[in-house]
Amino acid sequence: MTTTAKNYTKGREGHHIQVLILHSAENQELPGQAEHLAQWFAGENAPEASANEMIDNKVIVTSVDDVDTPWATDDFPINLVSENYELTGHAANTAAQWQDAYETSVIHLAEGEFKKDMVKYGIPAKHLTDSEIVAIHKGNTALKGIATHADITRALKISGGHTDPGVNFPLADFMKAISA
């Protein structure tokens, strides 16, 4: 695979992936949205942002290879050490919306991808605390785990930051599933 996103940084400046980060893409909940999102990140009018993998209810599409650095969290030190997954959905989803048939399929695909990548990068099924995120940001290479975009925003006090995948995302269930 070759990175297709327009905006990313080639390579990882010698860093290794320590954190797997969940995002919500804020796009339509329809089949084909993973490819659509990857095309958007690659397009002429692409945002100054990118992510590694887009996940809809049917497929996972890579937009930034894991050897390259996505512009995903508004924090370059975290971007250097993270793999970022855009789930088709909305941060404003209710708990019921995250449990509908479409989102259930998205989440199950994400769980499988996380399990695979946890093995690949030696990352435990551990939800990182704010202090651990700050330590990773400051260069701690021993810590590894899982975070949401909202966790990164909160821990690093990023102004105007993100709340995805939202307060109603079933994170406890997701962490349980990737632990199994």
Side-chain angles (χ1 to χ4, degrees):
M1 172 76 199
T2 301
T3 295
T4 60
K6 179 178 179 182
N7 296 304
Y8 70 99
T9 300
K10 186 136 183 79
R12 287 192 178 265
E13 298 182 5
H15 296 276
H16 301 284
I17 294 171
Q18 297 173 242
V19 185
L20 305 181
I21 302 177
L22 283 163
H23 300 259
S24 56
E26 307 306 312
N27 64 342
Q28 293 180 313
E29 298 173 13
L30 298 168
Q33 290 301 298
E35 181 62 37
H36 175 75
L37 186 58
Q39 290 172 358
W40 181 63
F41 278 132
E44 183 178 317
N45 297 316
E48 289 190 9
S50 56
N52 298 94
E53 299 183 38
M54 311 321 127
I55 304 172
D56 65 24
N57 68 326
K58 301 283 185 194
V59 299
I60 300 170
V61 177
T62 300
S63 180
V64 177
D65 287 334
D66 62 358
V67 297
D68 293 325
T69 303
W71 297 357
T73 66
D74 297 320
D75 184 78
F76 195 67
I78 293 293
N79 290 343
L80 283 170
V81 298
S82 63
E83 183 86 352
N84 292 267
Y85 308 80
E86 289 282 359
L87 308 184
T88 304
H90 299 90
N93 276 1
T94 65
Q97 287 170 317
W98 278 115
Q99 293 176 0
D100 69 21
Y102 181 92
E103 293 298 358
T104 298
S105 295
V106 171
I107 291 169
H108 286 312
L109 276 176
E111 290 165 352
E113 193 69 3
F114 266 62
K115 285 181 175 184
K116 179 183 70 117
D117 287 348
M118 288 164 56
V119 170
K120 181 176 181 178
Y121 305 117
I123 296 175
K126 178 192 183 318
H127 186 201
L128 295 168
T129 65
D130 287 4
S131 62
E132 289 169 327
I133 291 167
V134 170
I136 291 168
H137 163 83
K138 291 181 176 181
N140 183 316
T141 59
L143 292 170
K144 294 182 175 187
I146 312 297
T148 68
H149 198 173
D151 294 334
I152 303 300
T153 297
R154 183 187 60 250
L156 300 179
K157 299 174 177 50
I158 298 171
S159 177
H162 294 260
T163 61
D164 55 305
V167 296
N168 293 313
F169 180 79
L171 186 60
D173 292 340
F174 185 87
M175 294 302 296
K176 185 177 176 182
I178 64 173
S179 297

